[in-house]
Amino acid sequence: MGRRSEREVAFRLIFERLFNEGADFLTGVKLLEEEDNAKYDSGFAKEVLEGVTQNLGVIEQQIKDNLVGYKFERIYKIDLSLLILAIYEIKYQNTDPKIVINEVVELGKKFSTDKSPAFINGILSKIING
């Protein structure tokens, strides 16, 4: 499974975790490995999920600090999941921000509302450009 596919897996597991507080991110990764071990290389997704678990409070605070006209609690869970994923990759894995933003905006187009890509792009641009 390529980086793009594993990024989507990580996004889906983050999204699931937002609805099930206290759930272990890595349980989802283990289930995927058991389903189809030959196709699934969990290295990237597992690394992202472990990092998000360790840094979730800091990542959420970065989102809160860069919201204008929105309340954190009102952000769509899909958009919040994508923001968490992107911030982790940019800040903690030093992935090229342009690549990350492009990927999460595309996931936003696929899974969220028409307004989500602009919202996600705006928040991430503020965080990157500080």
Side-chain angles (χ1 to χ4, degrees):
M1 186 177 281
R3 174 77 50 112
R4 177 174 282 175
S5 297
E6 288 206 40
R7 187 176 281 118
E8 185 173 325
V9 168
F11 150 69
R12 288 173 181 232
L13 293 171
I14 292 168
F15 177 72
E16 180 181 326
R17 164 85 172 28
L18 292 177
F19 280 101
N20 299 308
E21 292 214 16
D24 180 11
F25 282 132
L26 299 179
T27 300
V29 172
K30 290 174 189 169
L31 290 173
L32 286 171
E33 288 173 339
E34 291 169 8
E35 274 182 31
D36 196 348
N37 202 14
K39 288 185 181 178
Y40 186 71
D41 172 13
S42 64
F44 175 75
K46 189 179 286 187
E47 184 179 328
V48 168
L49 295 171
E50 287 173 346
V52 166
T53 299
Q54 293 171 358
N55 298 289
L56 188 58
V58 173
I59 293 169
E60 287 180 340
Q61 190 59 51
Q62 287 181 314
I63 295 167
K64 290 175 186 176
D65 291 346
N66 288 282
L67 288 174
V68 177
Y70 292 91
K71 291 187 179 190
F72 181 81
E73 298 78 21
R74 304 277 319 221
I75 298 173
Y76 294 131
K77 297 285 190 209
I78 291 173
D79 297 349
L80 182 57
S81 301
L82 291 168
L83 287 168
I84 290 168
L85 171 63
I87 292 167
Y88 175 76
E89 271 198 80
I90 292 167
K91 296 289 186 175
Y92 296 94
Q93 288 197 317
N94 298 317
T95 306
D96 183 345
K98 291 177 186 177
I99 293 170
V100 175
I101 291 172
N102 181 57
E103 292 285 328
V104 297
V105 165
E106 288 303 314
L107 287 168
K109 289 177 185 177
K110 183 175 178 180
F111 292 105
S112 198
T113 69
D114 291 340
K115 294 180 182 180
S116 292
F119 173 75
I120 292 166
N121 192 27
I123 297 295
L124 293 176
S125 292
K126 283 184 70 175
I127 289 171
I128 291 166
N129 297 322

